[in-house]
Amino acid sequence: VSDETRTERTLRTRTHARSNMKEVADLAGVALSSVSRVLSGHPDVSEPMRERVMQAVERLGYQPDLLAQSMRRRSTLSCGFVVGDISNPLLAEIAQGAEVTLRDAGYAMLLTNSENDPRLDASHVRLFLQRRVDCLLLSLAAETDRETLALLERIEEPIVVIDRDVPEEIGAGAVLSDHRTGMHAAVSHLLDLGHRRIGLVNGATLRAPRERRAGLEDAYRDRGLPADYRILEGPLTVDHGQRATAELLDGPEPPTAIVAGANQLLVGTLRELRRRNSRIGSDLSLVSCDTIVLTELFDPPIAVVDRDNRELGRQAAAMLLERMSKPDTPPERITLPTRFIARPSCAPPPPGA
Amino acid sequence: VSDETRTERTLRTRTHARSNMKEVADLAGVALSSVSRVLSGHPDVSEPMRERVMQAVERLGYQPDLLAQSMRRRSTLSCGFVVGDISNPLLAEIAQGAEVTLRDAGYAMLLTNSENDPRLDASHVRLFLQRRVDCLLLSLAAETDRETLALLERIEEPIVVIDRDVPEEIGAGAVLSDHRTGMHAAVSHLLDLGHRRIGLVNGATLRAPRERRAGLEDAYRDRGLPADYRILEGPLTVDHGQRATAELLDGPEPPTAIVAGANQLLVGTLRELRRRNSRIGSDLSLVSCDTIVLTELFDPPIAVVDRDNRELGRQAAAMLLERMSKPDTPPERITLPTRFIARPSCAPPPPGA
C-alpha cells in the first residue's frame, strides 16, 4: 500500500540494483580494496573485517557482479554443453544430471542443440569459446568431422565427451556406456530362448552403434554359432527404424527376434510391427536399448538394455570439474555399466520359424 | 607430421588464443580505437577502414571476446531459462524450441532445473541475475511463492513466463496453452460416447490443471448435465497418478472414463490399470494430455489433448526478443491452441456400467 508509482519504484530498483562495492565499503567503513578482498575470498583477511563487510553486504542486499568478477578472474564459471537433440529423453536425462552437478559447484550450464548435424558441432563450440566458457561437455553429432576435430585439438579448455570416441590428440576426458556387455547379455538371452536369426536395427558411425554391433557378434562367436544375424545401419530416426524393420521382415529368411538399437529406432520398429499385426512376444521377440516409459508400459513390456542416463551426466560433469581443478593430469576414460532387463517381449521363436 | 611437442603447440595455441585487438590494430596499421569501432559495428566507419580491419581479423584468426564486449555493452546476450525438470519430455521440447530461436538471434540459453521445488525458483533467478542474463524465461514450479514473486516484481530484466499465471505487477509477458478448449473437446467426446461419470486425475495449483478442470466443468455445464465427475488433484508425479486412479476406481460409483491430466500422471494411471487388468477402450475409456511416444504406440492408441511444445518454446523466445527490442511496450499474453485427437482408447461405456 505505497503511493509510489511504477516509475518511481523502477528508479529506486534500478539504483538499488546498481548498488556497488563502493556503497558496501562506505557502510562498513573500510577501504574499497578490503571489500574486494573479502568478496573474492582472499586469504589475507581478518575475521572481524570479513564479518563487518558481510554485514554491510547483507544490509544493502548487494549482489556481487559475476560478470565483473569474471573479467578479473578470466573465468566465467560456465560450462557449454553441445547436445544433439535435447528433446531426446536420453539426452534430456543426461543434461539434467550434468546441470545439477555443475550448479552445485557454482557453474552455469549453457546448452545448444546441434540438431544432430555434424556441421553445427564446430560452430557451436566456437560460439561457446567466444562466450569464454571454462569447459565443454560434448555429445557430438559426429566423431570424425575434420573441422570439429581440428578445432577441439587446438583449444585449451577442458573437454569431456559423453559416449563418443575421439582421437587421443584432443586430450578429452570421456564418460562412456558399456553398450557391448549389455548387448551381449541381450543377445545371449535370445539365443538361450532358441533364436538363431536375430536382426539388429542399428545406428551408424558413432561409438554406441559400433559397440552394440560388437556385443551381438561376440555373443554368436562365444557360442560358436554361425553368423546368422543381420545388422542394418542408418541414421537415428524413426524412419530408418521403420524401413529397416520392414527390410528385415521381407527378407528370404526373416529374423525371429529384432533388437532396436536406440529409442528413436524402437518407435519406427513398433510402427512397422503394428502395421503388420505382428504379435510381439509370440510371432516375434523384441529388445530395445535405453528405458523410456514406453518400454515399461507397452503390452507386453519390452526387454531393454538399460543404463542410468542421469548418472552419465553427473559423472561427466564431475570429471570436468576434476579436470579444471587438476589441469595437468592426463585425461581419464570411465565406462559406466549397462544391464539387460528381460521382459515378456522376448519368448521362444514360434514353432517352425 | 610436425615435430612440435604438445607443450610447444599448447604454448603457440595459447598465444594465438590470446591474440587481441592490439595485434589486429598493428597488422591493419590503424589505431586501436578504429578496430574497436569496426568490431562494435559503429556507424562512423569508412568502408575501406572496415575492410582493412576485417582482413587483419581474418588473418590472425582473431575472435572477438564476447565477455569484454559484454562489459562495454552491459549485455551478455544470454537468456536464463528456469525449468521444472528438463527430463520431462514436454519441457525438453519447449527448451529445444526456445534454444534454437534464441541462438538464431545471437543469444545463449542458460538452463537450470528447479526440480519442481518452489523454493529453488527464486534462488535460480538470483543466480541468473548475478550472471547478468539479459532476460528470463520461466516455467516456475509455483505461481504463488511470495519470495519468487517479490523478486520478479523488483527486477528490470524482461521476463516471459511459459504456461503460468503470475500477477500483473510483475510485468511479465506470457505464452500460454489453451488447455481449456482441448479439455472441453475431450470431455464432450466422452459425453457423446455415452459416458456420464468421468474421473480427472489432475495436477494442482498451477495454471494448466486449473484450466483443465474448467474445461471439464464447462463441458458438463454446456449440456446441462449434472456434475457427475470427480477431480482428484495432487502433485505431477507417477505416484499421484497411480493412487488417484485407484481411488477413483475403488469409489462407490467408479468412473467409466479417466482423463490423465499430464504425462507423468498417465504413467501412474496405466500402471494401476495394468495391475487391475482393466481393458482400455472397452472396460474403461482413457484420455491423456500431451503427446508422448507412448500415447501413439500404446495398444490401443491413447486419445490426447495435444499441443505443439516446440512452438510454445519458439514463441516464448520470440516474445522475449521482442520485449528486449521494445522495452516500453506493455507485456503481451498469447495463447496457443490445443486440439483433441480421438483414438481407440475411447469407446462407449460397457453395458450396465
Side-chain angles (χ1 to χ4, degrees), chain A residues 61-334:
Chain A
Y62 170 71
Q63 294 200 340
D65 183 335
L66 286 180
L67 185 58
Q69 287 181 7
S70 295
M71 281 303 286
R72 289 193 294 273
R73 261 203 315 262
R74 310 295 290 175
S75 157
T76 55
L77 288 175
S78 63
C79 170
F81 189 4
V82 177
V83 174
D85 174 11
I86 191 64
S87 67
N88 179 346
L90 163 71
L91 287 165
E93 287 173 12
I94 292 173
Q96 199 265 353
E99 194 272 325
V100 172
T101 303
L102 289 167
R103 174 156 41 84
D104 281 350
Y107 282 76
M109 186 174 85
L110 283 77
L111 189 117
T112 183
N113 280 281
S114 64
E115 299 156 53
N116 290 325
D117 179 347
R119 291 166 305 175
L120 288 179
D121 280 340
S123 92
H124 291 181
V125 168
R126 243 182 253 113
L127 263 182
F128 281 147
L129 294 175
Q130 288 183 9
R131 291 187 168 273
R132 291 270 208 82
V133 296
D134 297 310
C135 54
L136 291 163
L137 267 183
L138 303 178
S139 171
L140 296 171
E143 292 169 334
T144 53
D145 181 77
R146 283 171 60 183
E147 191 194 350
T148 308
L149 296 183
L151 174 63
L152 295 180
E153 202 177 330
R154 222 159 52 224
I155 66 180
E156 282 180 90
E157 285 76 4
I159 300 171
V160 167
V161 295
I162 298 180
D163 215 18
R164 295 289 182 272
D165 281 329
V166 293
E168 242 181 74
E169 295 80 66
I170 288 172
V175 177
L176 310 166
S177 292
D178 183 7
H179 304 287
R180 192 165 180 162
T181 301
M183 182 61 82
H184 187 283
V187 172
S188 299
H189 177 69
L190 292 169
L191 295 173
D192 284 345
L193 288 169
H195 295 275
R196 288 298 174 267
R197 296 192 311 278
I198 298 176
L200 171 59
V201 177
N202 209 13
T205 72
L206 292 173
R207 181 180 181 277
R210 273 197 306 279
E211 293 290 306
R212 288 179 177 132
R213 166 190 275 274
L216 179 144
E217 292 169 343
D218 290 350
Y220 272 81
R221 199 178 306 115
D222 287 354
R223 302 193 174 212
L225 291 169
D228 287 339
Y229 49 78
R230 267 192 85 188
I231 301 175
L232 295 184
E233 301 192 332
L236 291 175
T237 60
V238 173
D239 192 50
H240 167 55
Q242 180 154 9
R243 279 168 200 256
T245 303
E247 190 180 331
L248 287 171
L249 296 177
D250 288 336
E253 292 212 296
T256 56
I258 287 183
V259 181
N263 62 60
Q264 307 97 317
L265 300 174
L266 172 67
V267 173
T269 296
L270 288 174
R271 281 198 186 151
E272 186 60 22
L273 296 182
R274 165 167 299 170
R275 209 182 60 79
R276 292 168 184 250
N277 290 316
S278 291
R279 286 171 306 165
I280 296 167
S282 50
D283 295 346
L284 189 83
S285 288
L286 180 65
V287 172
S288 189
C289 295
D290 283 318
T291 293
I292 54 176
V293 290
L294 180 65
T295 50
E296 177 210 354
L297 290 169
F298 198 80
D299 186 18
I302 299 170
V304 288
V305 178
D306 182 54
R307 56 175 166 165
D308 186 341
N309 294 310
R310 283 186 182 77
E311 181 64 13
L312 203 59
R314 280 192 291 265
Q315 295 264 359
M319 182 184 282
L320 207 42
L321 294 167
E322 174 81 8
R323 285 183 69 67
M324 284 192 288
S325 69
K326 297 177 188 160
D328 294 327
T329 51
E332 255 189 302
R333 282 166 67 91
I334 61 172

Side-chain angles (χ1 to χ4, degrees), chain B residues 128-270:
Chain B
F128 281 146
L129 294 176
Q130 289 184 9
R131 294 188 167 272
R132 292 269 207 81
V133 296
D134 297 311
C135 54
L136 291 164
L137 268 183
L138 303 179
S139 170
L140 296 171
E143 291 168 335
T144 52
D145 181 78
R146 285 171 58 182
E147 190 193 350
T148 307
L149 296 183
L151 174 64
L152 295 180
E153 202 178 330
R154 221 159 53 223
I155 68 180
E156 282 180 89
E157 285 75 4
I159 300 172
V160 168
V161 294
I162 299 180
D163 215 19
R164 295 288 182 274
D165 281 329
V166 293
E168 241 181 76
E169 295 81 66
I170 288 171
V175 178
L176 309 167
S177 292
D178 183 7
H179 304 287
R180 191 165 182 161
T181 301
M183 183 60 81
H184 187 281
V187 172
S188 299
H189 177 69
L190 292 170
L191 295 173
D192 283 346
L193 288 169
H195 295 274
R196 288 300 174 266
R197 297 193 309 278
I198 298 176
L200 171 58
V201 176
N202 209 13
T205 72
L206 291 173
R207 181 179 182 278
R210 272 196 307 278
E211 293 290 305
R212 288 178 178 133
R213 165 190 276 273
L216 179 144
E217 291 169 344
D218 289 351
Y220 273 80
R221 199 178 306 116
D222 287 354
R223 301 191 176 212
L225 290 169
D228 288 339
Y229 47 78
R230 268 192 85 189
I231 302 175
L232 295 184
E233 301 193 332
L236 291 175
T237 60
V238 173
D239 193 50
H240 167 56
Q242 180 154 11
R243 281 168 198 254
T245 303
E247 190 180 330
L248 288 170
L249 296 177
D250 288 337
E253 291 212 296
T256 57
I258 286 183
V259 181
N263 63 61
Q264 307 96 314
L265 300 174
L266 173 67
V267 173
T269 296
L270 288 174

